[in-house]
Amino acid sequence: MSETNGNRENTGRRRTRRGGGHDANRRADAGISQLDWTLPVNPDKPTEPLDEEGVAAIHDAAMRVLEEIGIDFLNDEAKAVLKAAGCDVEEGSPTVRMDRAFVMEQVAKAPSTFTITPRNPARRISIGGRNIVFGNVSSPPNCSDLDRGRRVGDRESFRDLLKLSQYFNCIHFTGGYPVEPVDLHASIRHLDGLYDKLTLTDKVCHAYSLGKERVEDGMEMVRIAAGLSHEEFDAAPRMYTNINSSSPLKHDYPMLDGAMRLAKRGQPVVVTPFTLAGAMAPVTLPGAVVQQTAEGLAAIALLQAVRPGAPVVYGTFTSNVDMKSGAPAFGTPEYMRATQMSGQMARFYNLPVRASNACAANAPDAQAAWESAFSLWACVSAGINKVYHAAGWLEGGLCASYEKFVMDCETLQQMIRYLERVPVTEDDLAIDAIKEVGPHGHFFGAAHTQARYETAFYQPFLSDWRNYETWEEAGAPQAPEHANRIWKQILAEFEAPKLDPAIVEELEAFVARRKKEGGAPTDF
Amino acid sequence: MSETNGNRENTGRRRTRRGGGHDANRRADAGISQLDWTLPVNPDKPTEPLDEEGVAAIHDAAMRVLEEIGIDFLNDEAKAVLKAAGCDVEEGSPTVRMDRAFVMEQVAKAPSTFTITPRNPARRISIGGRNIVFGNVSSPPNCSDLDRGRRVGDRESFRDLLKLSQYFNCIHFTGGYPVEPVDLHASIRHLDGLYDKLTLTDKVCHAYSLGKERVEDGMEMVRIAAGLSHEEFDAAPRMYTNINSSSPLKHDYPMLDGAMRLAKRGQPVVVTPFTLAGAMAPVTLPGAVVQQTAEGLAAIALLQAVRPGAPVVYGTFTSNVDMKSGAPAFGTPEYMRATQMSGQMARFYNLPVRASNACAANAPDAQAAWESAFSLWACVSAGINKVYHAAGWLEGGLCASYEKFVMDCETLQQMIRYLERVPVTEDDLAIDAIKEVGPHGHFFGAAHTQARYETAFYQPFLSDWRNYETWEEAGAPQAPEHANRIWKQILAEFEAPKLDPAIVEELEAFVARRKKEGGAPTDF
């Protein structure tokens, strides 16, 4: 003992020994054991930085923005709907003012929870309440991996990232393109892209609100893939879109158009203002959340006027910018608090809420990990229902990293396990085991341990928990290297989810016909 | 627009622009700007996985362990104190049983909050209530940095890590040795070690409970460094010790001896059972917390019997082990929940609570970052008062990493900023700014922004937020490389805190005399 300091906190690793076994809860494939598909329910009270007066003050200020300043709707149909509903719409101006009674009346029509059922009904997800679901990274122009470095997105990478999204059970829905397949011409990209999505995955999917053709094609392809009649498609949520306001205080034509098209057919719309504090929104967090709330509720009120009861989600993307460069920052103290405040506002309006697992780092290094962990913590502590960009996001959204994708899935699994309730039965209290082991033994061999060790603890598939010497002998691999090996194995062994060949044929025919017709105009 | 997908979430980085300026809240030295010294207060309600019945069940089970099974006290003085206080102490056996009335009566004597005042009174810290303070890594046998790799600890590294602990304002107290200075003979290590600590730092410090001589020398040197009389030293907490139980169900001689010596002089004792679930404690989290509570309260009851009102802390180190290797794991779902449950139990007993910012990773990579971020989140969400090992810990505590130290200080600063309340005044709601900017501008130039941008957001000193191209041109540095540059600059520019030369002389004389006397025996 003379060479040690007597502190036991650093010695357990050497003194403890092999327990053995594996977790029966997991499926072993692609060389890893992952959690089964599960829809996590958040058991904790959300962290709420605002008191009741704070929530009321933000609500009141958002209402004043809608009443006194107004929101620009760059879409004549939207303006006409709102004018008909009694809003103050100036002739020749895009600005619409709406009073709080109207806004609250419309918002009250939106469901507080809803389900979305993809082509595989076993992948149905619930949005709202205490549910929390995770989606893959959406819309980066670039992708990267350790072997090929960073490059502009193409269809092959797009398909790779879809396969990872399908493989991991912790990914509950697919977002926008996990990387932009730039080698597909923009006029037909949505056709090939959605074809890939619907054949490589069977999870809830998204269509971009980028003009009539893309949106209508998207709904039609989702309908075909699920083998639904038009009536069946319209009867319940089958897919969703996300629209961003063009902050400050503007909603653009194509996003409003797409949102209204989906709402008319009962399909969900996530409304996510682009309120980066200090840039497109006030530099103060309450101010940015005021603007986010005004922009978001303006579109939600429109959609309820278009179709009462249309499923909608209050989205938050509020974060701060780096005041040195103007670049958006994520996983910051400001991001965490803004996300929690957004959760409070969404609950005040009885709406489901969406946020993101984002970071600003350029590489899948420690910075990426702590920024993402803080973003994820923000989502979990805020009571977020739908977590966008939950796996794969780097560089403030400019790059999808294969390795980061796998690393994020590791932390998502940990969060899913964290969200399980801790039971406290007489058995869990373990007094008999404590008595049995007494002061001279250890618990490895106790019957209480043996009966439980296979499932007692979450077992990571990525973390390297070997001791230093063994790890060093193995070449001292860091997290991205492990992730690199894992995604390769997943892609090598990937099997697409089952889909009726007749449906595949119908999808192919649809894509071929629409390509022949020229796809979508690219001049919007 | 034809080549983009219209999703704005990935484009802000390119579109936003330079805001300029720096944060007036920070001091610029060693090339970085760090937060000022501050004592954070946690404004949030803790996350509580146990309901009231759960807390009551764990309490009841812990009391049954103390009543029916008992705890071994391998120290005759401790046994005598407890016997005199009415506990059931068997002749010739180390086992002591105490009934719940006695335990609760003793625990009720402990203060729920207290302060510790080091030689620089400006570095006084408060332990308990909503306070949260951070300390450096304690007691690893090894250290590492990017230049020299991993090596056994020595005095030079020990001093380096003390300098970093002094430099960073987010480190509120120094723990045990930040790395074991193995080149100092164990008989005199505590003398040279504490001399370094008291001359290189002016923060609250710790002495190991490793035998009479070390403990008495430690108290004497802290007294000398602060220029106090013996009466002044005894009048208020000036330092602290941490003891670990030798789980299961045992308290060792030297730790009990040291704890009682400090308690007698009114100095705080943190009691931290070593209850790794599945190894030294039951495999179930409630069972591990039951055992932790029983072991912890047994020592706390002893210390209150020794000196009623002695400041004590309920420590938790409960985590799970890797059932494949038996090695302890940290930052896991189980660690997070155990830490939160421990916070609940400590509040039930009105005691301050200690936990750790720990990880199992072997390198300062992404795994280290997410494990540490989850540990830190556990501490913050659990309402932990004293966070041990908050900076520098790697490999389950077997290694102190220079780079990880700096990286952890970055995340600690972010937590400190996160813990500040978000004000919601009329000014913060920013309606006038939203009106001023309108739908066609941005907020960079707004008066509201200009008046606030220097302090509106936390500005990290370590995170690399440059765009990819600039970052790549700079050699694509990852987080540890930035940290490497920063610690070198801090050490190069380090100036020890002021200390009266007469006091330095007195300390030197004390060390010299005690060395001459042989220091401490090394055969305990």
Side-chain angles (χ1 to χ4, degrees):
Chain A
M1 278 291 280
S2 68
E3 286 303 297
T4 75
N5 52 46
N7 182 303
R8 294 189 179 86
E9 294 174 18
N10 62 1
T11 55
R13 198 153 191 194
R14 281 177 171 161
R15 295 199 303 181
T16 55
R17 71 189 70 162
R18 189 174 175 76
H22 67 282
D23 188 323
N25 266 351
R26 317 259 164 64
R27 298 188 319 186
D29 48 317
I32 73 170
S33 65
Q34 66 165 323
L35 295 183
D36 286 336
W37 169 270
T38 180
L39 293 177
V41 173
N42 192 332
D44 297 323
K45 285 192 189 127
T47 299
E48 304 205 316
L50 298 170
D51 57 18
E52 216 173 299
E53 293 76 45
V55 171
I58 288 180
H59 166 63
D60 178 66
M63 295 300 122
R64 285 174 58 197
V65 169
L66 291 172
E67 289 170 338
E68 299 168 19
I69 305 173
I71 302 288
D72 283 7
F73 284 79
L74 305 179
N75 182 299
D76 287 341
E77 183 188 348
K79 278 173 61 185
V81 167
L82 291 169
K83 185 165 189 175
C87 296
D88 177 8
V89 182
E90 292 172 33
E91 198 61 50
S93 153
T95 306
V96 177
R97 293 183 182 81
M98 42 184 87
D99 67 41
R100 65 186 70 200
F102 169 78
V103 175
M104 294 305 280
E105 189 190 330
Q106 299 306 316
V107 167
K109 294 175 185 168
S112 57
T113 64
F114 57 87
T115 62
I116 314 181
T117 308
R119 71 169 175 87
N120 178 358
R123 303 291 193 189
R124 179 185 293 123
I125 58 176
S126 294
I127 310 288
R130 289 189 168 273
N131 299 291
I132 176 169
V133 288
F134 301 112
N136 58 352
V137 61
S138 295
S139 313
N142 307 294
C143 61
S144 73
D145 62 66
L146 287 190
D147 305 302
R148 291 167 289 183
R150 185 180 188 259
R151 58 194 187 275
V152 169
D154 58 15
R155 188 176 187 179
E156 189 194 340
S157 309
F158 170 84
R159 289 171 56 89
D160 285 348
L161 291 161
L162 284 178
K163 290 172 186 173
L164 295 180
S165 305
Q166 173 66 15
Y167 173 79
F168 279 107
N169 291 323
C170 59
I171 300 298
H172 298 101
F173 66 92
T174 61
Y177 302 155
V179 69
E180 193 75 23
V182 173
D183 52 347
L184 293 173
H185 189 270
S187 62
I188 53 93
R189 189 179 299 163
H190 67 290
L191 296 167
D192 287 335
L194 205 52
Y195 175 84
D196 286 349
K197 221 184 235 192
L198 290 168
T199 51
L200 292 175
T201 86
D202 62 2
K203 298 179 181 180
V204 166
C205 77
H206 157 281
Y208 286 109
S209 283
L210 282 178
K212 172 188 161 194
E213 292 78 8
R214 288 186 180 83
V215 171
E216 296 294 343
D217 288 346
M219 287 193 283
E220 188 60 6
M221 289 178 72
V222 169
R223 184 191 68 75
I224 294 169
L228 300 170
S229 68
H230 288 279
E231 292 66 32
E232 286 167 336
F233 179 85
D234 292 358
R238 306 287 182 184
M239 60 182 299
Y240 73 98
T241 193
N242 179 81
I243 65 168
N244 299 124
S245 52
S246 182
S247 306
L249 306 179
K250 268 193 308 292
H251 286 288
D252 280 348
Y253 175 82
M255 291 221 169
L256 287 173
D257 178 74
M260 288 189 290
R261 287 179 191 278
L262 261 76
K264 283 175 196 164
R265 299 188 67 182
Q267 302 305 314
V269 179
V270 181
V271 181
T272 312
F274 198 56
T275 39
L276 290 172
M280 290 78 109
V283 75
T284 49
L285 294 187
V289 176
V290 163
Q291 188 182 311
Q292 166 187 284
T293 301
E295 293 177 2
L297 294 189
I300 286 171
L302 166 70
L303 297 174
Q304 297 306 319
V306 166
R307 159 120 173 200
V312 293
V313 176
Y314 176 104
T316 174
F317 201 72
T318 297
S319 192
N320 56 307
V321 295
D322 175 9
M323 293 308 283
K324 283 194 290 198
S325 67
F330 298 100
T332 59
E334 292 77 23
Y335 180 80
M336 291 191 265
R337 288 305 191 190
T339 303
Q340 291 168 346
M341 291 163 67
S342 299
Q344 290 188 265
M345 298 314 298
R347 286 188 291 278
F348 179 78
Y349 298 115
N350 273 314
L351 295 171
V353 55
R354 169 242 148 142
S356 307
N357 180 11
C359 67
N362 288 308
D365 68 346
Q367 182 189 328
W370 78 61
E371 288 177 339
S372 280
F374 288 166
S375 290
L376 192 54
W377 172 12
C379 290
V380 170
S381 67
I384 297 302
N385 303 119
K386 198 170 188 189
V387 181
Y388 258 56
H389 309 302
W393 162 298
L394 267 189
E395 290 182 39
L398 291 177
C399 189
S401 156
Y402 285 51
E403 285 81 20
K404 176 81 168 10
F405 196 110
V406 173
M407 287 158 52
D408 283 334
C409 287
E410 175 57 65
T411 61
L412 294 180
Q413 287 210 156
Q414 297 196 27
M415 274 305 114
I416 289 171
R417 182 65 181 245
Y418 167 82
L419 292 170
E420 287 178 18
R421 281 182 189 280
V422 179
V424 189
T425 65
E426 186 65 23
D427 248 20
D428 297 309
L429 295 168
I431 298 183
D432 291 342
I434 294 172
K435 193 174 284 178
E436 176 196 331
V437 172
H440 305 297
H442 60 70
F443 287 78
F444 287 118
H448 185 265
T449 307
Q450 288 299 314
R452 289 165 184 79
Y453 78 94
E454 289 191 345
T455 55
F457 307 138
Y458 170 74
Q459 179 67 40
F461 65 82
L462 179 61
S463 309
D464 196 325
W465 283 354
R466 292 175 289 186
N467 67 37
Y468 183 86
E469 291 74 15
T470 312
W471 171 78
E472 199 185 26
E473 272 168 36
Q478 299 204 359
E481 294 166 63
H482 288 302
N484 181 272
R485 178 177 41 76
I486 289 170
W487 69 251
K488 283 179 189 164
Q489 199 165 343
I490 293 170
L491 294 186
E493 298 176 12
F494 183 78
E495 287 178 35
K498 279 182 202 150
L499 185 56
D500 182 342
I503 286 180
V504 175
E505 208 172 296
E506 196 179 345
L507 279 174
E508 283 169 350
F510 180 84
V511 167
R513 175 170 69 78
R514 290 287 300 118
K515 281 186 177 177
K516 213 168 171 183
E517 292 168 4
T522 57
D523 61 343
F524 58 84
Chain B
M1 275 293 279
S2 69
E3 287 302 298
T4 74
N5 53 46
N7 183 304
R8 294 191 179 85
E9 295 176 16
N10 62 0
T11 55
R13 197 153 190 191
R14 283 178 172 158
R15 294 200 303 181
T16 55
R17 72 190 67 162
R18 189 175 176 77
H22 66 283
D23 188 323
N25 266 351
R26 318 259 163 64
R27 298 188 320 184
D29 48 317
I32 73 169
S33 66
Q34 67 164 323
L35 294 182
D36 287 337
W37 169 270
T38 179
L39 293 177
V41 173
N42 192 333
D44 297 323
K45 284 191 190 129
T47 299
E48 304 205 316
L50 298 170
D51 57 17
E52 214 173 300
E53 293 76 44
V55 171
I58 289 180
H59 166 64
D60 178 67
M63 294 300 122
R64 284 174 57 197
V65 169
L66 292 172
E67 288 170 338
E68 299 168 20
I69 305 174
I71 302 288
D72 282 9
F73 284 80
L74 305 179
N75 182 300
D76 287 340
E77 183 188 348
K79 279 173 60 187
V81 167
L82 290 169
K83 184 164 192 177
C87 295
D88 176 9
V89 182
E90 292 171 34
E91 198 62 48
S93 154
T95 307
V96 176
R97 293 185 182 81
M98 42 184 86
D99 67 42
R100 64 186 71 201
F102 169 77
V103 175
M104 294 304 280
E105 188 190 331
Q106 299 306 316
V107 168
K109 294 176 185 167
S112 57
T113 64
F114 57 87
T115 62
I116 314 180
T117 308
R119 70 168 174 89
N120 177 357
R123 304 291 193 188
R124 179 185 293 123
I125 59 176
S126 294
I127 309 288
R130 289 188 169 273
N131 299 291
I132 175 168
V133 288
F134 302 112
N136 58 353
V137 60
S138 294
S139 313
N142 306 294
C143 60
S144 73
D145 63 66
L146 288 189
D147 304 302
R148 289 167 290 183
R150 184 177 188 262
R151 58 196 187 274
V152 169
D154 58 16
R155 189 177 187 178
E156 189 193 341
S157 310
F158 170 84
R159 289 171 54 91
D160 285 348
L161 290 161
L162 285 178
K163 290 173 187 172
L164 295 180
S165 305
Q166 173 66 14
Y167 174 80
F168 280 106
N169 291 323
C170 59
I171 301 298
H172 298 102
F173 65 93
T174 60
Y177 301 156
V179 69
E180 194 75 22
V182 174
D183 53 345
L184 294 173
H185 190 271
S187 62
I188 54 92
R189 188 179 300 163
H190 69 290
L191 296 167
D192 287 335
L194 204 52
Y195 175 84
D196 286 348
K197 221 184 236 193
L198 290 167
T199 52
L200 293 175
T201 87
D202 62 2
K203 298 179 181 179
V204 166
C205 77
H206 156 280
Y208 287 108
S209 282
L210 283 177
K212 172 188 162 194
E213 292 77 7
R214 288 186 180 81
V215 172
E216 297 293 344
D217 288 347
M219 289 193 281
E220 187 62 4
M221 288 177 72
V222 169
R223 184 192 69 75
I224 293 169
L228 300 170
S229 69
H230 288 279
E231 292 66 32
E232 286 167 336
F233 178 85
D234 292 358
R238 306 288 182 183
M239 60 182 298
Y240 73 96
T241 193
N242 178 81
I243 66 168
N244 299 124
S245 53
S246 181
S247 305
L249 306 178
K250 269 194 305 293
H251 286 288
D252 281 346
Y253 175 82
M255 291 222 168
L256 287 172
D257 179 74
M260 288 189 290
R261 287 179 190 278
L262 260 76
K264 283 174 195 165
R265 298 188 67 183
Q267 303 304 315
V269 179
V270 180
V271 182
T272 311
F274 198 55
T275 40
L276 290 172
M280 291 78 111
V283 76
T284 50
L285 294 187
V289 176
V290 163
Q291 188 181 310
Q292 166 188 284
T293 301
E295 292 176 6
L297 295 187
I300 286 171
L302 165 70
L303 297 174
Q304 297 305 320
V306 166
R307 159 118 174 202
V312 292
V313 175
Y314 176 105
T316 174
F317 201 71
T318 297
S319 192
N320 56 307
V321 295
D322 174 10
M323 293 308 283
K324 284 194 290 200
S325 68
F330 298 100
T332 59
E334 292 77 23
Y335 180 79
M336 291 191 264
R337 288 305 192 189
T339 304
Q340 291 167 346
M341 290 162 69
S342 300
Q344 290 188 264
M345 297 314 298
R347 286 188 293 277
F348 179 79
Y349 298 114
N350 273 314
L351 295 171
V353 54
R354 169 242 147 142
S356 307
N357 180 12
C359 66
N362 288 308
D365 67 347
Q367 181 190 329
W370 79 60
E371 288 177 339
S372 280
F374 288 166
S375 290
L376 192 53
W377 173 13
C379 291
V380 170
S381 66
I384 297 302
N385 302 118
K386 198 171 188 189
V387 181
Y388 258 57
H389 309 302
W393 162 298
L394 267 189
E395 289 181 40
L398 291 176
C399 189
S401 157
Y402 285 50
E403 285 82 20
K404 176 81 169 8
F405 196 110
V406 174
M407 289 160 49
D408 283 334
C409 286
E410 175 56 64
T411 61
L412 294 180
Q413 286 210 156
Q414 296 197 28
M415 273 304 114
I416 289 171
R417 182 66 181 245
Y418 168 82
L419 292 170
E420 286 178 18
R421 280 182 189 278
V422 179
V424 189
T425 66
E426 186 65 21
D427 248 21
D428 296 309
L429 295 168
I431 297 183
D432 291 341
I434 293 172
K435 194 174 286 178
E436 177 196 330
V437 172
H440 304 298
H442 60 69
F443 287 78
F444 286 118
H448 186 265
T449 308
Q450 288 299 313
R452 288 165 184 79
Y453 78 93
E454 289 192 346
T455 56
F457 307 139
Y458 171 73
Q459 179 67 40
F461 65 83
L462 179 61
S463 310
D464 196 324
W465 283 353
R466 292 175 290 185
N467 66 37
Y468 183 85
E469 292 74 16
T470 312
W471 171 77
E472 199 184 27
E473 272 168 38
Q478 300 203 358
E481 295 166 63
H482 288 302
N484 181 272
R485 178 177 41 78
I486 288 169
W487 69 252
K488 283 178 187 163
Q489 199 165 343
I490 292 170
L491 295 185
E493 297 175 12
F494 183 79
E495 287 178 33
K498 279 181 200 151
L499 186 56
D500 182 341
I503 286 179
V504 176
E505 207 172 297
E506 196 179 345
L507 278 174
E508 284 170 349
F510 180 85
V511 168
R513 174 169 69 78
R514 290 287 299 117
K515 281 184 176 179
K516 212 166 172 184
E517 292 169 3
T522 56
D523 61 343
F524 58 84

